[in-house]
Short mmCIF file of all heavy atoms in Angstrom, two decimals:
data_model
loop_
_atom_site.label_atom_id
_atom_site.label_comp_id
_atom_site.label_asym_id
_atom_site.label_seq_id
_atom_site.Cartn_x
_atom_site.Cartn_y
_atom_site.Cartn_z
N PRO A 266 -32.49 34.11 33.77
CA PRO A 266 -32.32 32.94 34.65
C PRO A 266 -33.56 32.07 34.75
O PRO A 266 -33.44 30.84 34.86
CB PRO A 266 -31.99 33.58 36.02
CG PRO A 266 -31.44 34.93 35.70
CD PRO A 266 -32.15 35.38 34.45
N LEU A 267 -34.77 32.68 34.71
CA LEU A 267 -35.98 31.85 34.78
C LEU A 267 -36.03 30.87 33.61
O LEU A 267 -36.32 29.68 33.80
CB LEU A 267 -37.24 32.74 34.77
CG LEU A 267 -38.57 31.97 34.72
CD1 LEU A 267 -38.77 31.13 35.97
CD2 LEU A 267 -39.74 32.94 34.52
N ALA A 270 -33.65 28.13 34.16
CA ALA A 270 -34.11 27.21 35.21
C ALA A 270 -35.17 26.25 34.67
O ALA A 270 -35.32 25.14 35.19
CB ALA A 270 -34.66 28.00 36.39
N VAL B 410 -45.19 26.81 39.81
CA VAL B 410 -46.43 27.11 40.53
C VAL B 410 -46.56 28.63 40.54
O VAL B 410 -45.69 29.33 41.06
CB VAL B 410 -46.40 26.53 41.96
CG1 VAL B 410 -47.72 26.85 42.69
CG2 VAL B 410 -46.18 25.02 41.94
N ALA B 412 -47.42 32.52 41.09
CA ALA B 412 -47.57 33.36 42.29
C ALA B 412 -47.90 34.78 41.84
O ALA B 412 -47.14 35.71 42.08
CB ALA B 412 -46.27 33.32 43.10
N ASP B 413 -49.02 34.93 41.15
CA ASP B 413 -49.45 36.26 40.72
C ASP B 413 -50.06 37.02 41.88
O ASP B 413 -50.50 36.41 42.88
CB ASP B 413 -50.45 36.13 39.57
CG ASP B 413 -49.76 35.82 38.25
OD1 ASP B 413 -49.05 36.72 37.75
OD2 ASP B 413 -49.92 34.70 37.74
N ASP B 414 -50.14 38.34 41.76
CA ASP B 414 -50.85 39.13 42.76
C ASP B 414 -52.28 38.61 42.86
O ASP B 414 -52.92 38.32 41.84
CB ASP B 414 -50.88 40.61 42.36
CG ASP B 414 -49.51 41.25 42.54
OD1 ASP B 414 -48.75 40.80 43.42
OD2 ASP B 414 -49.20 42.19 41.78
N TRP B 421 -51.23 28.40 47.38
CA TRP B 421 -49.92 28.25 46.71
C TRP B 421 -49.10 27.17 47.42
O TRP B 421 -48.50 26.31 46.78
CB TRP B 421 -49.16 29.59 46.69
CG TRP B 421 -47.93 29.51 45.84
CD1 TRP B 421 -47.82 29.81 44.52
CD2 TRP B 421 -46.63 29.05 46.26
NE1 TRP B 421 -46.55 29.55 44.08
CE2 TRP B 421 -45.79 29.08 45.13
CE3 TRP B 421 -46.12 28.60 47.47
CZ2 TRP B 421 -44.46 28.69 45.17
CZ3 TRP B 421 -44.78 28.20 47.52
CH2 TRP B 421 -43.97 28.25 46.39
N VAL B 436 -40.68 25.98 40.92
CA VAL B 436 -40.21 27.28 40.44
C VAL B 436 -41.40 28.24 40.49
O VAL B 436 -42.35 28.08 39.74
CB VAL B 436 -39.64 27.19 39.02
CG1 VAL B 436 -39.26 28.57 38.51
CG2 VAL B 436 -38.45 26.25 39.00
N PRO B 437 -41.36 29.25 41.39
CA PRO B 437 -42.47 30.20 41.49
C PRO B 437 -42.27 31.35 40.50
O PRO B 437 -41.15 31.84 40.34
CB PRO B 437 -42.36 30.71 42.93
CG PRO B 437 -40.95 30.44 43.37
CD PRO B 437 -40.31 29.49 42.40
N THR B 438 -43.32 31.74 39.83
CA THR B 438 -43.23 32.85 38.87
C THR B 438 -44.64 33.33 38.56
O THR B 438 -45.62 32.71 38.94
CB THR B 438 -42.50 32.40 37.60
OG1 THR B 438 -42.42 33.52 36.71
CG2 THR B 438 -43.22 31.28 36.90
N SER B 439 -44.72 34.46 37.84
CA SER B 439 -46.03 34.91 37.36
C SER B 439 -46.41 34.11 36.14
O SER B 439 -45.56 33.53 35.46
CB SER B 439 -45.97 36.40 37.00
OG SER B 439 -45.16 36.59 35.86
N ALA B 442 -44.64 35.64 33.04
CA ALA B 442 -43.21 35.32 32.95
C ALA B 442 -43.01 33.86 32.56
O ALA B 442 -42.10 33.54 31.80
CB ALA B 442 -42.51 35.63 34.28
N VAL B 554 -32.41 29.91 50.71
CA VAL B 554 -33.34 31.03 50.88
C VAL B 554 -34.60 30.55 51.60
O VAL B 554 -34.98 29.38 51.46
CB VAL B 554 -33.78 31.66 49.54
CG1 VAL B 554 -32.66 32.49 48.93
CG2 VAL B 554 -34.26 30.60 48.58
N VAL B 556 -38.68 31.94 52.26
CA VAL B 556 -39.71 32.94 52.01
C VAL B 556 -40.80 32.74 53.07
O VAL B 556 -41.39 31.66 53.16
CB VAL B 556 -40.30 32.80 50.60
CG1 VAL B 556 -41.45 33.78 50.39
CG2 VAL B 556 -39.22 33.00 49.53
N GLU B 562 -45.30 40.62 51.45
CA GLU B 562 -44.56 40.58 50.18
C GLU B 562 -44.27 39.15 49.72
O GLU B 562 -43.42 38.95 48.85
CB GLU B 562 -43.24 41.34 50.34
CG GLU B 562 -43.40 42.82 50.65
CD GLU B 562 -44.15 43.54 49.55
OE1 GLU B 562 -43.82 43.31 48.36
OE2 GLU B 562 -45.09 44.30 49.86
N ALA B 563 -44.93 38.15 50.31
CA ALA B 563 -44.59 36.76 50.02
C ALA B 563 -44.66 36.44 48.52
O ALA B 563 -43.76 35.82 47.96
CB ALA B 563 -45.51 35.81 50.80
N LEU B 564 -45.73 36.89 47.86
CA LEU B 564 -45.88 36.55 46.43
C LEU B 564 -44.79 37.20 45.59
O LEU B 564 -44.22 36.58 44.69
CB LEU B 564 -47.27 36.98 45.94
CG LEU B 564 -48.44 36.22 46.62
CD1 LEU B 564 -49.75 36.93 46.36
CD2 LEU B 564 -48.49 34.78 46.11
N ALA B 565 -44.48 38.47 45.90
CA ALA B 565 -43.40 39.16 45.17
C ALA B 565 -42.06 38.49 45.46
O ALA B 565 -41.22 38.33 44.56
CB ALA B 565 -43.36 40.64 45.55
N ASP B 566 -41.86 38.07 46.69
CA ASP B 566 -40.61 37.39 47.05
C ASP B 566 -40.47 36.07 46.28
O ASP B 566 -39.38 35.72 45.79
CB ASP B 566 -40.55 37.10 48.56
CG ASP B 566 -40.39 38.37 49.38
OD1 ASP B 566 -40.06 39.43 48.79
OD2 ASP B 566 -40.60 38.31 50.61
N LEU B 567 -41.58 35.35 46.17
CA LEU B 567 -41.55 34.10 45.42
C LEU B 567 -41.23 34.35 43.94
O LEU B 567 -40.40 33.65 43.33
CB LEU B 567 -42.89 33.37 45.55
CG LEU B 567 -43.18 32.72 46.91
CD1 LEU B 567 -44.64 32.27 46.99
CD2 LEU B 567 -42.25 31.53 47.16
N ARG B 568 -41.88 35.36 43.36
CA ARG B 568 -41.62 35.68 41.95
C ARG B 568 -40.16 36.10 41.74
O ARG B 568 -39.52 35.72 40.76
CB ARG B 568 -42.56 36.79 41.46
CG ARG B 568 -44.01 36.38 41.36
CD ARG B 568 -44.82 37.39 40.55
NE ARG B 568 -44.85 38.72 41.13
CZ ARG B 568 -45.78 39.19 41.95
NH1 ARG B 568 -46.78 38.41 42.32
NH2 ARG B 568 -45.73 40.42 42.40
N ASP B 569 -39.64 36.89 42.69
CA ASP B 569 -38.24 37.31 42.59
C ASP B 569 -37.31 36.10 42.61
O ASP B 569 -36.32 36.05 41.88
CB ASP B 569 -37.88 38.26 43.74
CG ASP B 569 -38.52 39.64 43.56
OD1 ASP B 569 -39.06 39.90 42.46
OD2 ASP B 569 -38.50 40.42 44.53
N LEU B 570 -37.63 35.16 43.50
CA LEU B 570 -36.81 33.95 43.59
C LEU B 570 -36.80 33.19 42.26
O LEU B 570 -35.73 32.82 41.75
CB LEU B 570 -37.37 33.05 44.71
CG LEU B 570 -36.74 31.66 44.85
CD1 LEU B 570 -35.30 31.79 45.33
CD2 LEU B 570 -37.54 30.80 45.82
N GLY B 571 -37.98 32.99 41.68
CA GLY B 571 -38.04 32.29 40.39
C GLY B 571 -37.34 33.07 39.29
O GLY B 571 -36.63 32.51 38.46
N GLY B 572 -37.54 34.38 39.29
CA GLY B 572 -36.91 35.22 38.26
C GLY B 572 -35.41 35.22 38.33
O GLY B 572 -34.72 35.45 37.32
N ALA B 573 -34.86 34.94 39.51
CA ALA B 573 -33.41 34.90 39.69
C ALA B 573 -32.85 33.51 39.41
O ALA B 573 -31.65 33.29 39.58
CB ALA B 573 -33.05 35.33 41.11
N GLY B 574 -33.71 32.57 39.00
CA GLY B 574 -33.22 31.22 38.71
C GLY B 574 -33.25 30.30 39.91
O GLY B 574 -32.63 29.24 39.89
N GLY B 575 -34.00 30.67 40.95
CA GLY B 575 -34.07 29.87 42.17
C GLY B 575 -35.19 28.85 42.15
O GLY B 575 -35.98 28.78 41.20
N ARG B 576 -35.27 28.08 43.22
CA ARG B 576 -36.27 27.02 43.32
C ARG B 576 -36.63 26.79 44.79
O ARG B 576 -35.85 27.07 45.69
CB ARG B 576 -35.71 25.71 42.74
CG ARG B 576 -34.38 25.31 43.38
CD ARG B 576 -33.93 23.92 42.97
NE ARG B 576 -33.59 23.84 41.56
CZ ARG B 576 -33.09 22.74 40.98
NH1 ARG B 576 -32.83 21.66 41.71
NH2 ARG B 576 -32.83 22.72 39.70
N ILE B 577 -37.83 26.25 44.98
CA ILE B 577 -38.30 25.86 46.32
C ILE B 577 -38.22 24.34 46.41
O ILE B 577 -38.66 23.63 45.50
CB ILE B 577 -39.76 26.32 46.53
CG1 ILE B 577 -39.84 27.84 46.52
CG2 ILE B 577 -40.33 25.74 47.83
CD1 ILE B 577 -39.05 28.53 47.63
N GLU B 588 -33.40 27.40 47.31
CA GLU B 588 -32.03 27.85 47.00
C GLU B 588 -32.08 28.73 45.77
O GLU B 588 -33.00 28.62 44.94
CB GLU B 588 -31.13 26.64 46.78
CG GLU B 588 -31.62 25.75 45.66
CD GLU B 588 -30.96 24.37 45.65
OE1 GLU B 588 -30.60 23.88 46.73
OE2 GLU B 588 -30.84 23.80 44.55
N MET B 589 -31.09 29.60 45.65
CA MET B 589 -30.96 30.40 44.44
C MET B 589 -29.48 30.58 44.12
O MET B 589 -28.62 30.35 44.97
CB MET B 589 -31.65 31.73 44.60
CG MET B 589 -31.17 32.58 45.76
SD MET B 589 -32.16 34.10 45.89
CE MET B 589 -31.61 34.94 44.41
N PRO B 590 -29.17 30.96 42.84
CA PRO B 590 -27.77 31.14 42.46
C PRO B 590 -27.10 32.13 43.40
O PRO B 590 -27.69 33.18 43.70
CB PRO B 590 -27.87 31.69 41.03
CG PRO B 590 -29.17 31.18 40.51
CD PRO B 590 -30.09 31.16 41.70
#
Side-chain angles (χ1 to χ4, degrees):
Chain A
L267 175 64
Chain B
V410 180
D413 282 292
D414 287 331
W421 188 91
V436 176
T438 181
S439 69
V554 286
V556 176
E562 298 299 314
L564 295 165
D566 290 347
L567 287 169
R568 292 194 299 267
D569 288 349
L570 173 68
R576 55 172 65 176
I577 296 298
E588 58 195 31
M589 58 184 291

